């Protein structure tokens, strides 16, 4: 069965510091992987997705993620965090093809300190 | 573009009553809409998938007679929580898609059953 693990429940970083949020998945087939951000009062916003091809994926707001099949990981990174990045981040895997039947991780809450 | 709205954003109802939540795709026609439930500090759990004009497909463990989903048009899906009880209190989120590659999420509806 598919599963998504986000080991870090809460991460605190200083503004301007680099960020890495971890995501590990378990899925038998080639995964379709996503990172979403959830801010209070806002719907989930897609940061980036991986379907195939280049394993380093660029997203919006300066985020990137790298798909590592050998480690079953899809970690999200940002070189320099801004205060507005404080939010809840979710990794998700599709159980089908494309963006269907998303299975979400438990999320990582990011706090940014000045 | 690709905006999804939900109404209401917040609702309180008494135990035993029913409440309807609307999900609308404002600027696109959604081939498929999804309903999720999110408990505090937890992940999103897919409840059901609906296609316009078809019966919804419910995830295992979701009571279809309690959570009625209607997808009457390409821009509107409704979730009705029937005979609500306090344990149904949660954050309900819908999403919609028109292509295979991305789901667009609404801002969510917080339901409190007293």
């Amino acid at each position: 069965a598919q599963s998504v693990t986000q080991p870090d429940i809460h991460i605190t970083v200083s503004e301007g510091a680099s960020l890495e949020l971890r995501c590990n998945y378990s899925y038998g087939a080639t995964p379709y992987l996503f990172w979403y951000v959830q801010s209070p009062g806002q719907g989930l916003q897609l940061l980036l997705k991986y379907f195939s091809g280049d394993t380093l994926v660029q997203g919006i707001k300066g985020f990137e993620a790298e798909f590592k099949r050998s480690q079953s990981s899809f970690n999200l990174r940002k070189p320099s965090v801004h205060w507005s990045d404080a939010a809840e981040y979710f990794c998700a895997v599709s159980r089908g093809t494309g963006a269907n039947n998303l299975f979400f991780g438990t999320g990582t809450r990011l706090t940014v300190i000045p | 573009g690709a905006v999804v709205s939900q109404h209401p954003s917040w609702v309180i109802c008494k135990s035993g009553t029913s409440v309807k939540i609307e999900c609308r795709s404002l600027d696109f026609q959604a081939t498929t809409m999804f309903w999720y439930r999110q408990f505090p500090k937890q992940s999103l759990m897919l409840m059901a998938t609906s296609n316009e004009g078809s019966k919804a497909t419910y995830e295992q463990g979701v009571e279809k007679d309690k959570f009625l989903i209607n997808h009457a048009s390409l821009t509107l899906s409704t979730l009705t929580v029937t005979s609500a009880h306090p344990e149904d209190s949660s954050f309900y989120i819908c999403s919609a898609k028109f292509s295979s590659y991305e789901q667009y999420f609404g801002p969510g509806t917080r339901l409190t059953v007293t």
Side-chain angles (χ1 to χ4, degrees):
Chain A
Q2 65 284 332
S3 67
V4 178
T5 302
Q6 293 181 247
D8 304 304
I9 297 174
H10 186 197
I11 284 182
T12 299
V13 299
S14 298
E15 190 169 16
S18 63
L19 171 71
E20 183 170 28
L21 302 183
R22 296 182 291 166
C23 173
N24 293 97
Y25 68 90
S26 172
Y27 190 60
T30 299
Y32 293 82
L33 296 161
F34 306 79
W35 273 101
Y36 285 89
V37 59
Q38 184 182 36
S39 300
Q42 307 287 325
L44 273 77
Q45 182 181 23
L46 179 67
L47 291 174
L48 46 78
K49 60 183 179 283
Y50 172 78
F51 284 3
S52 64
D54 192 346
T55 56
L56 184 62
V57 181
Q58 301 297 321
I60 63 171
K61 302 185 179 184
F63 286 93
E64 66 176 27
E66 186 171 12
F67 169 60
K68 293 185 177 180
R69 185 185 297 275
S70 62
Q71 299 177 20
S72 296
S73 69
F74 188 56
N75 294 348
L76 182 71
R77 300 193 294 249
K78 186 170 185 177
S80 177
V81 171
H82 188 263
W83 64 266
S84 60
D85 293 325
E88 189 88 20
Y89 291 80
F90 291 95
C91 181
V93 61
S94 172
R95 292 183 290 180
T97 56
N100 293 307
N101 296 349
L102 296 181
F103 191 87
F104 285 84
T106 51
T108 297
R109 177 165 297 279
L110 174 65
T111 297
V112 180
I113 55 177
Chain B
V3 178
V4 176
S5 70
Q6 283 185 241
H7 178 80
S9 57
W10 178 62
V11 58
I12 299 176
C13 71
K14 292 186 176 180
S15 186
T17 63
S18 296
V19 61
K20 180 184 289 187
I21 302 169
E22 292 186 349
C23 175
R24 293 181 184 273
S25 56
L26 298 184
D27 50 3
F28 66 98
Q29 292 185 324
T31 54
T32 307
M33 287 185 167
F34 305 85
W35 286 95
Y36 296 84
R37 184 172 180 177
Q38 185 179 29
F39 292 99
K41 300 187 185 302
Q42 294 189 29
S43 184
L44 284 77
M45 301 296 294
L46 178 65
M47 298 174 66
T49 303
S50 72
N51 294 292
E52 183 263 341
S54 302
K55 289 184 177 181
T57 300
Y58 291 81
E59 294 297 303
Q60 189 173 7
V62 177
E63 300 176 59
K64 60 181 180 181
D65 294 331
K66 167 169 271 301
F67 299 101
L68 300 179
I69 292 173
N70 183 277
H71 193 164
S73 76
L74 285 171
T75 60
L76 173 65
S77 177
T78 60
L79 168 68
T80 301
V81 183
T82 63
S83 186
H85 289 94
E87 58 266 30
D88 298 324
S89 298
S90 192
F91 195 55
Y92 293 89
I93 301 173
C94 74
S95 71
K97 73 182 188 79
F98 58 89
S99 74
S100 297
Y101 303 108
E102 185 170 350
Q103 291 185 26
Y104 299 91
F105 286 81
T109 297
R110 183 159 305 281
L111 169 64
T112 301
V113 184
T114 61

